[in-house]
Structure formats: structure tokens, C-alpha cells
Amino acid sequence: MRTLDLESNSKYFSDKKIKSVIVLQGNELVSEWYENGKDAIGPLYSCTKSILSALIGIALDQKLLTSVDQPLTDFLEHPPEIAAALGQITIKHLLTMTPGFDWPDFDKPYKAFKAAADPVQFVFKQPMISDPGAAFAYNSGGSHLLSAILTRVTGMSALSFARDHLFGPLGFNGARWVERAGVNEGGTGLYLYGRDLAKIGSLFVQKGRSEDRQLLSADWVEESTSLHHRGLLHYEPPIYGAYGYHWWHSPESHNGVCDCFFAFGHGGQYLLAAPQHHLVVVVRKQITKRNDAIWSRRLIFEHILPACIGKEHAPL
């Protein structure tokens, strides 16, 4: 296991509004740095989506869901006049951000969605502008539909299901999750400790296994983190990637370092896993501007990953 001195870069972290950095190799801590000297519970923002994806995988493993090809109309009450259109949208379309709703770039309807008395019906009222599966549009409303589906099939909130089947078995120190109309918010709203978030990365690096327990099937880990749509692979600055099932997918050809996948939250929150090298990186950053996420991105791909896998890396 390589060593990595994060403490010597405290000034850089402070200048770039980075709040914490955690690096694991396998289950072993390589290095960590915290703005206030210790780990703390904090918001994941859209990294929430990737945790929700893992919970959908567990529901499939437990046969609570049959397939990602099931239509959302099997689970959620919907206006009968649009049943035919909604019936074409599957769980997979929601996971890959391709349901076809009119949802302008970068989640612009999010504030109106968040203010709606019934968030599920708000999403259903958005016009369909493309065939399901045809076009990628980042959509936290679709993520909320997934949380509502999970609540319906499990008979409990996403948070309760996570505590029983993911957070509890992994020994989490605490978790909070914002609830909207009886459903934990699917696109954001989850609060975790940084080290606990890193445990999710380790679980995926280990193909769903934690010690002697298979918490998540290896097939789901592979399927959910593989490329299903080109997503925002060509966005500049390159803070995103291609898209899987609520995970971002980043091949070496895109990032210049190694194949990996990551959860991404607004402004530069990253949970990144590079299974080939058994590496997990968590970076949490103060929210400034969307594209300021590039500072987290550069820290990971120009410094941390190259240093850990023996490639030339840029000084901070």
C-alpha cells in the first residue's frame, strides 16, 4: 500500500474550499484530511443517487423487484390519461436518466419540483419530448420516482431499507435522509459521514462483498457501473463522464489515468472507485459554482490517483 501525504496540502485544500479528503486502498486507509480535524456527517447532494442505485440493486437481489425492465406504472399511481406514455418508461430508463421527460439541462425544474406538494405527480405532469431511452437529461425527479418505487416494493422508506440491508451491515456511524411526502428524496438529501461514504466505494471495489457477507450481487455492481449512455462525457470542464445506473462512468481514455466510476454531487463532491487498483477516493467540497468542481476533479485525477498507482503526478 502506498503512502500519501495529504496534510502537507492543507493550504491548497483551504484555498479551493475542499472540506475533506479520504483515500482507501482495499479496506485500508491510505490517508485522510479534514478541514476541522475530524470526520463529520454532511450532505451528499447528488451522490445520494448512487446510494439509491445500490438499494435498487439490493431490492432486485431480494426479488422485491423482478427486473429493471419493469415499467414504473407497475408501482406508482398515475393519471390514467397518460398511462400509455408512462407505461413505456422502465426502471432502467430512470436509472440511466433517459425517461424522455422535458427536464431542461442541469436539473432546472428542481426548485419547482422541490416545492411541489406531491413530487411524484409533479414529475408525471412534465411533457414527454423524446422516446424513453433515446436522450439523456439529468433529472432528479426521475431519481425520486425510483425512491418512491423502492418504498412501494419494500413497505419502508429508502432510509429504513438502507439501515437494514446496507448501512447497518457496513457499520455506519449515522445517516439522515430528507423526506418528501413520505418518500426519501431520491436525487439528493442523504447525509453521511465521509468514512461511511468511503465504505460504499470499498463495497463496490470488492464486487458487493463486505467481509464474509455478499451485501450486493457482483452482477449488479458490474451492470450498474458500466457505460449505458455517453451522458456528459464531452462536457467542459470534464467534471462528469458517461453514465451507468446513477453512477458516472469514466474510462482511462477520458480521464488519462485509469478506468473508474464515481458518484458526483453538486459543486465537487466525489466518491470514486477504481477497482483495478482497489482504490476509493472521497472528496467533499464547499458549494461555490458548479464548474468549481474542477478543483476536486484535478485533485483526484492529477494528484491522488497517479500518486497511488505509480504514475507521474502534478504537484498541488
Side-chain angles (χ1 to χ4, degrees), residues 1 60 66 90 96 150 152 166 177 197 201 223 300:
M1 184 177 68
L60 281 158
T66 303
T90 65
T96 56
L150 186 69
R152 176 66 180 273
L166 187 61
W177 201 335
L197 181 59
E223 182 180 355
I300 294 169

Side-chain angles (χ1 to χ4, degrees), residues 72 84-94 96-101 128-136 229:
L72 61 83
L86 292 180
Q88 301 301 308
I89 301 172
T90 65
I91 292 171
K92 182 175 182 177
H93 293 137
L94 298 176
T96 56
M97 297 284 186
T98 61
F101 292 115
M128 296 284 293
I129 59 170
S130 62
D131 292 335
F136 178 91
H229 194 282

Side-chain angles (χ1 to χ4, degrees), residues 49-50 53 68 91-98 136 138 146 204 220-233 240-251 260-263:
K49 294 178 173 71
S50 303
S53 173
V68 293
I91 292 171
K92 182 175 182 177
H93 293 137
L94 298 176
L95 285 166
T96 56
M97 297 284 186
T98 61
F136 178 91
Y138 194 80
L146 287 170
F204 272 71
W220 180 259
V221 171
E222 176 67 24
E223 182 180 355
S224 64
T225 60
S226 295
L227 187 153
H228 289 274
H229 194 282
R230 293 188 65 80
L232 298 177
L233 199 62
Y240 303 107
Y243 212 65
Y245 289 173
H246 272 34
W247 287 92
W248 295 95
H249 174 94
S250 183
C260 59
F261 54 87
F262 57 89

Side-chain angles (χ1 to χ4, degrees), residues 4 6-7 21-23 29-34 39 195:
L4 184 68
L6 294 176
E7 196 62 40
V21 184
I22 303 168
V23 182
L29 181 68
V30 175
S31 190
E32 60 186 337
W33 177 89
Y34 302 100
D39 196 9
R195 280 194 172 189

